[in-house]
Amino acid sequence: MSRIDETKDFIPVRIAILTVSDTRDLTQDRSGDTLVQRLEAAGHVLAARMILKDDRETIAAQLRDWIEDSQIDVVISTGGTGLTGRDVTVEAHRDVYEKEIDAFGTVFTMVSYQKIGTSAVQSRATGGVAGGTYLFALPGSPGACKDAWDEILALQLDFRHRPCNFVEIFPRLDEHKRRK
């Protein structure tokens, strides 16, 4: 089972938060606030925060900008992962992924099922990697953000988490670009 190895030093990760919404601004962004509070409480750094409208090209362009920013290690978006016509965040993420982390969506569904039962099938939460940056798309509810952070991301973004974690493989995410 997983555990935290207290003999290792914690390594803060620089995280950007993107809220996707046609109706919210920062004063109403409870999901973004939930993520910011949790990442800072865990000892990570809020590297950037933004709200964008539900537009696939705009979302993908912002993800690409943050992927190119050497001061950002992880991007977590919230909103736009549902089934309606305006929900395009997942497609925008997949437009930029080099590799998808298939099990992220599966584990998120398992966590959600414990909380909301079969309604969990309506989420399309996803994760991937591009340019050495981790990208995660979460549903737009504070509860879903809390569950994803508390049950998955807080552990995987902690270098001390065993048997393995996302942080320990940061140096190898773009190793294919260095090979000759």
Side-chain angles (χ1 to χ4, degrees):
M1 200 63 171
S2 69
R3 64 182 174 84
I4 297 296
D5 182 348
E6 298 291 346
T7 67
K8 298 200 174 285
D9 290 332
F10 178 80
I11 299 174
V13 175
R14 299 165 298 192
I15 303 172
I17 302 296
L18 174 62
T19 298
V20 178
S21 175
D22 286 337
T23 59
R24 293 185 197 142
D25 62 29
L26 281 176
T27 65
Q28 306 158 320
D29 183 16
R30 292 180 37 233
S31 296
D33 289 344
T34 297
L35 290 167
V36 170
Q37 291 163 1
R38 280 177 154 65
L39 75 87
E40 288 179 339
H44 297 295
V45 176
L46 178 63
R49 184 174 179 184
M50 182 178 292
I51 296 181
L52 291 178
K53 302 277 187 213
D54 294 275
D55 179 77
R56 183 175 178 168
E57 290 76 26
T58 303
I59 297 164
Q62 185 58 57
L63 294 174
R64 286 185 188 100
D65 285 348
W66 281 344
I67 290 164
E68 293 299 318
D69 186 335
S70 64
Q71 297 304 304
I72 296 175
D73 302 310
V74 175
V75 176
I76 304 172
S77 68
T78 174
T81 63
L83 301 173
T84 71
R86 296 290 295 155
D87 292 324
V88 296
T89 303
V90 173
E91 289 74 20
H93 270 252
R94 288 181 174 148
D95 287 345
V96 302
Y97 288 167
E98 292 168 1
K99 293 186 179 196
E100 190 161 358
I101 305 170
D102 297 320
F104 179 80
T106 302
V107 173
F108 180 80
T109 301
M110 292 168 54
V111 168
S112 294
Y113 184 80
Q114 297 302 313
K115 311 284 174 116
I116 62 172
T118 60
S119 294
V121 302
Q122 293 188 33
S123 171
R124 298 184 305 135
T126 186
V129 178
T133 302
Y134 289 107
L135 304 137
F136 302 98
L138 308 178
S141 76
C145 291
K146 176 187 170 294
D147 293 343
W149 180 268
D150 294 352
E151 303 290 334
I152 305 168
L153 295 174
L155 298 169
Q156 283 298 300
L157 296 177
D158 189 331
F159 178 70
R160 304 166 303 165
H161 182 263
R162 295 291 169 253
C164 59
N165 61 76
F166 289 143
V167 179
E168 67 189 355
I169 60 173
F170 266 128
R172 296 177 38 217
L173 291 179
D174 60 359
E175 66 189 356
H176 64 284
K177 294 179 182 177
R178 295 187 302 268
R179 290 189 200 136
K180 295 292 178 195

